[in-house]
Coordinates of all heavy atoms in Angstrom, one line a residue:
D1 N 8.6 -2.3 -16.3 CA 7.6 -2.7 -17.2 C 6.1 -2.6 -16.6 O 5.2 -2.2 -17.3 CB 7.7 -4.1 -17.6 CG 9.0 -4.3 -18.4 OD1 9.4 -3.3 -19.0 OD2 9.6 -5.4 -18.4
G2 N 6.0 -2.9 -15.2 CA 4.7 -3.0 -14.6 C 4.4 -1.7 -13.8 O 5.1 -0.7 -13.9
P3 N 3.4 -1.8 -13.1 CA 3.1 -0.6 -12.2 C 4.1 -0.5 -11.1 O 4.9 -1.3 -10.8 CB 1.7 -1.1 -11.6 CG 1.6 -2.5 -11.6 CD 2.5 -3.0 -12.8
A4 N 4.0 0.7 -10.5 CA 4.9 1.0 -9.4 C 4.8 0.0 -8.2 O 3.6 -0.3 -7.9 CB 4.7 2.5 -8.9
L5 N 5.8 -0.5 -7.7 CA 5.6 -1.5 -6.6 C 5.3 -0.9 -5.3 O 4.7 -1.5 -4.5 CB 7.0 -2.2 -6.5 CG 7.4 -3.0 -7.8 CD1 8.7 -3.6 -7.6 CD2 6.3 -4.1 -8.1
Y6 N 5.7 0.4 -5.1 CA 5.4 1.0 -3.8 C 4.7 2.4 -4.0 O 5.1 3.1 -4.8 CB 6.7 1.2 -3.0 CG 6.6 2.1 -1.8 CD1 5.9 1.4 -0.7 CD2 7.1 3.3 -1.7 CE1 5.8 2.2 0.4 CE2 7.0 4.0 -0.5 CZ 6.3 3.4 0.5 OH 6.1 4.1 1.7
N7 N 3.6 2.5 -3.4 CA 2.8 3.8 -3.4 C 3.1 4.4 -2.1 O 2.6 4.0 -1.0 CB 1.4 3.5 -3.6 CG 0.6 4.8 -3.7 OD1 1.2 5.9 -3.5 ND2 -0.7 4.7 -4.0
P8 N 3.7 5.5 -2.0 CA 4.2 6.2 -0.7 C 2.9 7.0 -0.2 O 3.1 7.6 1.0 CB 5.2 7.2 -1.1 CG 5.1 7.4 -2.5 CD 4.5 6.3 -3.0
D9 N 1.8 6.9 -0.6 CA 0.7 7.7 -0.1 C 0.3 7.1 1.2 O 0.2 5.9 1.5 CB -0.6 7.5 -1.0 CG -1.7 8.3 -0.6 OD1 -1.6 9.2 0.3 OD2 -2.9 8.1 -1.2
M10 N 0.2 8.0 2.2 CA 0.0 7.5 3.6 C -1.6 7.2 3.9 O -1.9 6.5 4.9 CB 0.4 8.6 4.6 CG 1.9 8.9 4.5 SD 3.0 7.6 4.7 CE 2.9 7.5 6.5
A11 N -2.4 7.7 3.1 CA -3.8 7.6 3.3 C -4.4 6.3 2.6 O -4.0 6.2 1.4 CB -4.7 8.8 2.9
E12 N -5.1 5.5 3.3 CA -5.7 4.3 2.6 C -7.2 4.4 2.8 O -7.7 4.8 3.8 CB -5.2 3.0 3.3 CG -3.9 2.6 2.9 CD -3.7 2.1 1.5 OE1 -4.8 1.7 0.9 OE2 -2.6 2.1 1.0
K13 N -7.8 4.0 1.7 CA -9.2 3.9 1.8 C -9.8 2.6 1.6 O -9.1 1.7 0.9 CB -9.8 4.8 0.6 CG -9.4 6.3 0.7 CD -9.2 6.9 -0.8 CE -8.6 8.2 -0.7 NZ -7.1 8.1 -0.7
G14 N -10.9 2.3 2.3 CA -11.4 1.0 2.2 C -11.1 0.1 3.3 O -11.1 0.6 4.5
E15 N -11.0 -1.2 3.2 CA -10.9 -2.1 4.3 C -9.5 -2.1 4.9 O -8.5 -1.9 4.3 CB -11.2 -3.6 3.7 CG -12.5 -3.6 3.1 CD -12.6 -4.9 2.3 OE1 -11.7 -5.8 2.3 OE2 -13.6 -5.1 1.6
P16 N -9.4 -2.2 6.3 CA -8.1 -2.1 7.0 C -7.2 -3.1 6.6 O -6.0 -3.0 6.7 CB -8.6 -2.2 8.5 CG -10.0 -1.9 8.5 CD -10.6 -2.3 7.2
E17 N -7.7 -4.4 6.2 CA -6.8 -5.5 5.8 C -6.0 -5.2 4.6 O -4.8 -5.7 4.5 CB -7.7 -6.7 5.6 CG -8.4 -7.3 6.8 CD -9.8 -6.6 6.9 OE1 -10.3 -6.1 6.0 OE2 -10.2 -6.6 8.0
K18 N -6.5 -4.3 3.7 CA -5.8 -3.9 2.5 C -4.8 -2.8 2.7 O -4.0 -2.4 1.9 CB -6.8 -3.5 1.4 CG -7.5 -4.7 1.0 CD -8.5 -4.4 -0.1 CE -9.3 -5.5 -0.5 NZ -10.3 -5.2 -1.6
A19 N -4.8 -2.2 4.0 CA -4.0 -1.1 4.2 C -2.6 -1.5 5.0 O -1.9 -0.7 5.2 CB -4.7 -0.1 5.2
I20 N -2.4 -2.8 5.2 CA -1.2 -3.2 5.8 C 0.0 -3.3 4.8 O -0.3 -3.8 3.6 CB -1.4 -4.6 6.4 CG1 -2.6 -4.6 7.5 CG2 -0.2 -5.2 7.0 CD1 -3.0 -5.9 8.0
R21 N 1.1 -2.7 5.2 CA 2.2 -2.7 4.4 C 3.3 -3.3 5.0 O 3.7 -3.0 6.3 CB 2.6 -1.2 4.0 CG 1.5 -0.5 3.1 CD 1.9 0.8 2.9 NE 0.8 1.5 2.1 CZ 1.0 2.7 1.6 NH1 2.1 3.3 1.6 NH2 0.0 3.2 1.0
I22 N 4.1 -4.1 4.4 CA 5.3 -4.6 4.9 C 6.4 -4.3 3.9 O 6.4 -4.7 2.8 CB 5.2 -6.2 5.0 CG1 4.1 -6.5 6.0 CG2 6.6 -6.7 5.6 CD1 3.8 -7.9 6.1
I23 N 7.4 -3.6 4.4 CA 8.5 -3.0 3.6 C 9.8 -3.8 4.1 O 10.2 -3.7 5.2 CB 8.7 -1.6 3.7 CG1 7.3 -0.9 3.3 CG2 9.7 -1.1 2.8 CD1 7.2 0.5 3.5
L24 N 10.4 -4.5 3.1 CA 11.6 -5.2 3.3 C 12.8 -4.5 2.7 O 12.6 -4.1 1.6 CB 11.4 -6.7 3.0 CG 10.3 -7.4 3.7 CD1 10.2 -8.8 3.0 CD2 10.6 -7.6 5.1

């Protein structure tokens, strides 16, 4: 129903704090 939960794109733009990913 909602947006994709995981975006596999390796490049992040913007602030480093928003680029942290934890995959469980």
Side-chain angles (χ1 to χ4, degrees):
D1 295 336
L5 298 178
Y6 175 68
N7 183 356
D9 185 9
M10 301 302 281
E12 281 293 337
K13 297 147 191 88
E15 301 165 11
E17 297 85 24
K18 294 182 180 177
I20 297 171
R21 296 181 183 187
I22 300 172
I23 301 170
L24 302 172

